[in-house]
Amino acid sequence: MNVADSAPAMNNLIGSDADSQRTLYPYVTGTSVVGIKYKDGILLAADMGDYLACHDSGSYGSTLRYKTVERMKSVGKHSIIGASGEISDFQEIMRYLDELILYDNMWDDGNSFGPKEVHNYLTRVMYNRRNKFNPLWNSLVLGGVKNGQKYLGTVNMIGVHYEDNHVATGFGNHLSRPILRDEWHENLTFEEGVKLLEKCMRVLLYRDRSAVNKLQIAKITEEGVTISQPYSLKTFWNFAAFQNPTVGAEGSW
Amino acid sequence: MGGFSFDLCKRNEMLVQKGLKQPSFLKTGTTIVGLIFRDGVILGADTRATEGPIVADKNCEKIHYMAPNIYCCGAGTAADTEAVTDMVSSQLKLHRYHTGRESKVVTALTHLKSHLFSYQGHVQAALVLGGVDMTGPHLHTIYPHGSTDTLPFATMGSGSLAAMSVFESKYREGMSRDEGIKLVAEAISSGIFNDLGSGSNVDICVITKGKREYLRNYLLPNPRMYISEKGYSFSKKTEVLFTKITPLREVVEVIEVGDAMEE
């Protein structure tokens, strides 16, 4: 009787030597991205913090490691991508996208991939990786304008994808989408759009423990892409109840 | 004496391992909120009680009475929130008789947190406790394990993030009664429409010095929209051949006779 035999019924895909080849947990992660359509195009917002994540053996807990990570990048002439989740996988996705755009340019046929095409490509990539039990551990926001048509979509690590007038990843879904559902409307001006995004990012800053107060706003219109310089939001901490919370109840908290 | 007997927990675990399907709890999925405004405290809650994916009660009451000047919203297991608030409410009444004074919010707070702590989180009640007593308006959150917070505005339950995003963007200190009610209704509505565990109607309770207003079903944003115009018809009824009515109680005539009853 050979005791050393491992369970032969298990598929190779979930076998122990395949483990080292697939993503088990994210390591360096970014938090929510929020995106909205406005009058002239798309606006995206994301903060610049990256955390070393806690995993099973808990070696890092949750350390803020990088504070100048750009989680939003332009893709081709018509699109912009924002990513949350594992940053190394985002960098890999950027390599795939750069290759995609390069091949598109090489056709030199006057056509260029718009946001819809890029979103579809990303969806296929994410879904196929998920089916091989080796996902790219990201939630992505893809937005852009082509020939006057605005487009805003999202796709995540399991391949769930959809488009809408406003999208968010991670915590943004719980904290920002309710605000956007209430206050977004067609034909927001640029200033209104930025104000709305800042409102969302401020709530995230208060209530998402992995948010940092250093964010960028990215804008894409028919003319092109602009990504703002990083800046901080004003916050308010002077509620009376915070000053002296246990007045009238000494010893409690 | 006191403390929880954990003897049956091991036995339950063993049964689950052997394949027993544990009965599910009736939970109040829930959005509950509270805020402090100029003259006191406003509490708000949705009215949906869920049993897994099913809505068990479309219009339940989640704002519980604790004392004439103190109310408590409850999220988590419905039985736990109901039982624990009832129990502390009784204790507060006895305490009022004993001291001859109006109850203080911190008294309710201390009773609730000691009870929940001694059950080590097994009593799954997450509460928003608010009231106005002689020391002023107070608002607290109480977690199932027994920790508490003192806050100017608070949300609990599965819809707490949706409600909190409304509070974090719109709350100001020193709001008037109408502004406060409007904000609470907005926060609960945010929970109702963005969280699947919350739904139906908005309940509100306004507590000020010496007065409280329980506004049950303050908002009904989910009316039954589509009612069949055709109505309902049932197939031909059973034919009635013969009718006889026998009253269950004898109709008795009382005749006053003689003297009044002697002592």
Side-chain angles (χ1 to χ4, degrees), chain A residues 46-215:
Chain A
D47 71 22
M48 299 193 78
D50 269 356
Y51 282 80
L52 289 180
C54 178
H55 64 94
D56 312 300
S57 60
S59 53
Y60 285 114
S62 184
T63 311
L64 178 60
R65 179 69 179 88
Y66 303 105
K67 294 189 254 192
T68 48
V69 180
E70 295 231 0
R71 297 195 287 113
M72 298 182 292
K73 302 242 184 242
S74 69
V75 180
K77 285 196 293 238
H78 303 284
S79 318
I80 186 165
I81 184 174
S84 66
E86 174 59 57
I87 295 301
S88 63
D89 283 345
F90 176 50
Q91 289 167 342
E92 188 71 358
I93 288 171
M94 285 316 297
R95 289 187 52 183
Y96 288 152
L97 288 176
D98 289 340
E99 189 182 45
L100 180 79
I101 300 296
L102 178 70
Y103 274 67
D104 183 42
N105 287 341
M106 291 205 301
W107 280 104
D108 199 20
D109 55 5
N111 262 331
S112 51
F113 281 148
K116 209 175 240 211
E117 290 80 53
V118 177
H119 186 222
N120 185 60
Y121 172 77
L122 284 171
T123 304
R124 292 297 103 223
V125 169
M126 302 299 269
Y127 185 66
N128 277 290
R129 289 287 297 254
R130 166 258 192 183
N131 283 343
K132 295 194 266 197
F133 287 91
N134 187 14
L136 290 160
W137 208 288
N138 295 108
S139 293
L140 307 166
V141 170
L142 202 296
V145 193
K146 188 176 170 200
N147 299 335
Q149 294 275 43
K150 300 183 284 240
Y151 184 90
L152 181 62
T154 180
V155 59
N156 69 7
M157 69 189 253
I158 54 173
V160 171
H161 61 285
Y162 47 89
E163 44 165 314
D164 205 343
N165 294 320
H166 43 77
V167 294
T169 65
F171 249 88
N173 272 313
H174 297 103
L175 290 168
S176 305
R177 289 306 287 292
I179 299 178
L180 293 169
R181 280 183 180 152
D182 231 11
E183 299 186 19
W184 183 92
H185 57 87
E186 289 275 3
N187 295 322
L188 288 162
T189 65
F190 175 70
E191 287 78 26
E192 289 173 333
V194 171
K195 216 157 156 259
L196 189 55
L197 277 181
E198 285 185 346
K199 198 177 206 187
C200 296
M201 296 304 282
R202 184 172 293 109
V203 178
L204 284 169
L205 178 62
Y206 284 135
R207 295 285 163 174
D208 178 4
R209 79 160 186 176
S210 29
V212 297
N213 197 1
K214 184 178 178 190
L215 69 142

Side-chain angles (χ1 to χ4, degrees), chain A residues 2-9 16:
Chain A
N2 195 345
V3 184
D5 261 21
S6 55
S16 56

